[in-house]
Amino acid sequence: MSAADGTVAPELRRYAALDQRLLAAVRGIRILPTVAWPASLEDRMIADYASGRFALPQVSYARPDLSAARAELAAIELAAAEGAQVDPLGDYLRRTAESWRIAAEMLESVGTAGVTAPSIALYGRPDDIIPGSQRSNLDAARYFVELSDELGADLLADDSCVNVPADALRGDLAATLDEFFGAGTINVEVDPELTAKAAAGATRIRLRGGASFSEYDRHQLLAHEAFVHSLTALNGRRQPLLASLARTSPRVTATQEGLAVFAELMSGAIDITRLKRISLRILAIDMALGGADFVEVYKYFSACGQNAADSFHSAQRVFRGVPLGGGAAFAKDNVYLSGLLTVHTFFRLALKQRRMDLLRHLFAGKLTLHDVIALQPHFESGAILPPRWLPPWMQHVHGLAGKLAFSVFINGIQLNRVQGNELLASV
């Protein structure tokens, strides 16, 4: 059976109908917009903090009523579970509906400490153990921060001081994306209200107005936002069976962000300072959960070398949607490093098992690593289409295989057993 012509086989129509119900149910669940802070507040507070005038920001949120969505999602979970033992599509829909229901519960608690538990259920804790390891995400974060500090400023990128205005970068990215995806497929816009430095959807990439970008930023935006987030959304839109593959459900966030940071790594678009920034956010989530308030977390980022604006934005990411007095956190930034490490392990494992098809299928839509394996029968039948677009680094499979093969082998060399003088004597 093939879905290449856009039709869905009769035995799968039940799942397609549940998928459409799912998309309708989650239409009003908007996670980041609900917990976002207004840019005007940030600008004022950054100026105060830069001058040493510290006070907890006064942030208010519009708390949504998502009770109808939660009830519908619970019904979809129940209906999907009935087929979960028969077809992996049922389990996919059940897991997806459950994650959206948890997200709805989280947003209905916005402004309270009640956001913390569901955000951890969705995004994990800093002390979670990394799969295949005895160490935690927190251990990894400390390692990258310490390594960055030990290496010092000598390894800062040569172009780190090159500042490109958002408007100039917009034109440059637009030309690159038109060439790759086709003219007008993805619009690049400058958004003065955007909190993050950049954000991507299927057909739009936004840059924060007033921000300046380095050449490394440009490479990261292309590798991370365009060639993962936008690319997987566009591929997901082509799927005739599961339209939800075009939308990032909460349960796929860790894989999506991990894949996006892995793409930076494979593209040579990441440096040690970027890894430090990602890691500091995990340490800051741990601090907030341990009782640190917003000002203390801001000062932590500042003491680690970030300027006033970056320190404020970093602290703001940790405290989105929660009280600022300590003991609560929005855990989303936990997924960037844990996701990177898990995706890296998945790529190495797929190479070891000679399953490059699994890696390509990861770009067919918004999928988790579990989904890619579980849904293989539907990839093989053609019910789920292979990706129309692949990132540039995935199109050169020999180069990717070479990097991963080296990584698999080199992982077996334990540095703590290598003596420096012994190594020098051998070369």
Side-chain angles (χ1 to χ4, degrees):
M1 180 212 55
S2 173
D5 59 358
T7 61
V8 175
E11 67 270 20
L12 300 181
R13 286 174 186 164
R14 173 177 177 270
Y15 299 110
L18 280 176
D19 191 62
Q20 289 298 323
R21 281 179 61 186
L22 174 67
L23 285 176
V26 305
R27 194 166 290 128
I29 303 176
R30 305 177 69 223
I31 296 176
L32 295 185
T34 302
V35 301
W37 294 12
S40 54
L41 167 69
E42 294 188 2
D43 294 340
R44 185 172 69 253
M45 296 300 298
I46 289 170
D48 286 346
Y49 277 38
S51 301
R53 298 188 299 273
F54 299 110
L56 294 180
Q58 299 298 312
V59 187
S60 61
Y61 301 95
R63 190 174 301 169
D65 178 5
L66 299 171
S67 55
R70 283 190 291 104
E72 172 67 349
L73 288 166
I76 294 169
E77 281 181 69
L78 188 62
E82 293 175 3
Q85 300 300 318
V86 178
D87 194 300
L89 290 172
D91 191 51
Y92 163 85
L93 289 165
R94 181 192 63 79
R95 289 169 180 261
T96 304
E98 179 186 40
S99 75
W100 280 113
R101 179 177 52 79
I102 293 170
E105 294 170 357
M106 177 179 71
L107 296 182
E108 287 185 315
S109 300
V110 70
T112 76
V115 166
T116 301
S119 82
I120 287 173
L122 295 174
Y123 308 124
R125 291 183 60 92
D127 55 5
D128 286 342
I129 298 299
I130 299 164
S133 169
Q134 299 300 312
R135 306 183 72 183
S136 70
N137 199 28
L138 201 57
D139 293 329
R142 290 180 180 130
Y143 168 78
F144 286 116
V145 171
E146 290 170 4
L147 180 62
S148 177
D149 290 342
E150 288 172 7
L151 293 174
D154 289 344
L155 289 189
L156 289 177
D158 292 338
D159 59 3
S160 61
C161 295
V162 176
N163 291 323
V164 179
D167 286 321
L169 182 61
R170 188 209 66 77
D172 178 51
L173 291 180
T176 301
L177 297 179
D178 281 351
E179 183 178 355
F180 186 87
F181 291 104
T185 303
I186 298 177
N187 294 319
V188 184
E189 303 173 358
V190 175
D191 183 352
E193 290 294 320
L194 186 64
T195 300
K197 206 164 186 180
T203 59
R204 182 176 66 155
I205 292 177
R206 292 178 294 154
L207 307 175
R208 188 170 74 221
S212 294
F213 299 83
S214 69
E215 187 62 20
Y216 250 109
D217 289 332
R218 177 187 179 277
H219 290 314
Q220 287 165 3
L221 285 170
L222 283 172
H224 186 116
E225 305 290 353
F227 295 143
V228 173
H229 292 327
S230 294
L231 180 145
T232 51
L234 287 169
N235 283 331
R237 286 188 169 195
R238 298 179 63 251
Q239 296 294 346
L241 176 62
L242 297 173
S244 61
L245 290 178
R247 181 157 187 186
T248 304
S249 67
R251 63 180 284 266
V252 307
T253 303
T255 297
Q256 272 286 297
E257 298 298 354
L259 182 60
V261 180
F262 181 75
E264 296 178 38
L265 186 66
M266 290 295 101
S267 304
I270 198 168
D271 60 7
I272 192 67
T273 57
R274 164 77 164 153
L275 284 172
K276 179 181 179 179
R277 268 197 316 276
I278 292 169
S279 299
L280 285 174
R281 294 171 188 167
I282 296 165
L283 298 176
I285 291 171
D286 189 60
M287 288 176 61
L289 291 174
D293 67 18
F294 183 90
V295 173
E296 291 172 311
V297 171
Y298 168 89
K299 290 181 176 178
Y300 172 71
F301 283 115
S302 181
C304 290
Q306 294 190 0
N307 62 34
D310 288 343
S311 296
F312 190 93
H313 286 131
S314 295
Q316 177 263 342
R317 293 175 68 101
V318 174
F319 285 93
R320 288 177 286 187
V322 303
L324 307 184
F330 182 68
K332 179 177 181 288
D333 279 347
N334 191 63
V335 305
Y336 289 83
L337 187 54
S338 63
L340 166 63
L341 296 170
T342 306
V343 166
H344 194 286
T345 300
F346 181 81
F347 268 72
R348 291 167 52 220
L349 185 62
L351 174 71
K352 188 174 182 180
Q353 296 179 351
R354 310 297 193 268
R355 292 299 306 274
M356 298 297 285
D357 58 313
L358 294 177
L359 305 183
R360 289 188 290 272
H361 290 164
L362 193 54
F363 295 91
K366 304 292 186 178
L367 295 157
T368 68
L369 302 178
H370 172 88
D371 295 335
V372 170
I373 297 171
L375 295 174
Q376 276 306 296
H378 293 295
F379 278 106
E380 292 168 2
S381 72
I384 300 178
L385 300 179
R388 160 68 177 80
W389 291 283
L390 287 171
W393 55 273
M394 271 294 295
Q395 295 175 19
H396 306 292
V397 291
H398 294 294
L400 174 63
K403 290 178 182 178
L404 293 174
F406 186 80
S407 177
V408 168
F409 182 80
I410 207 71
N411 191 58
I413 299 176
Q414 299 180 19
L415 287 180
N416 60 353
R417 295 187 179 181
V418 176
Q419 299 296 322
N421 55 354
E422 202 177 293
L423 184 64
L424 291 172
S426 68
V427 295

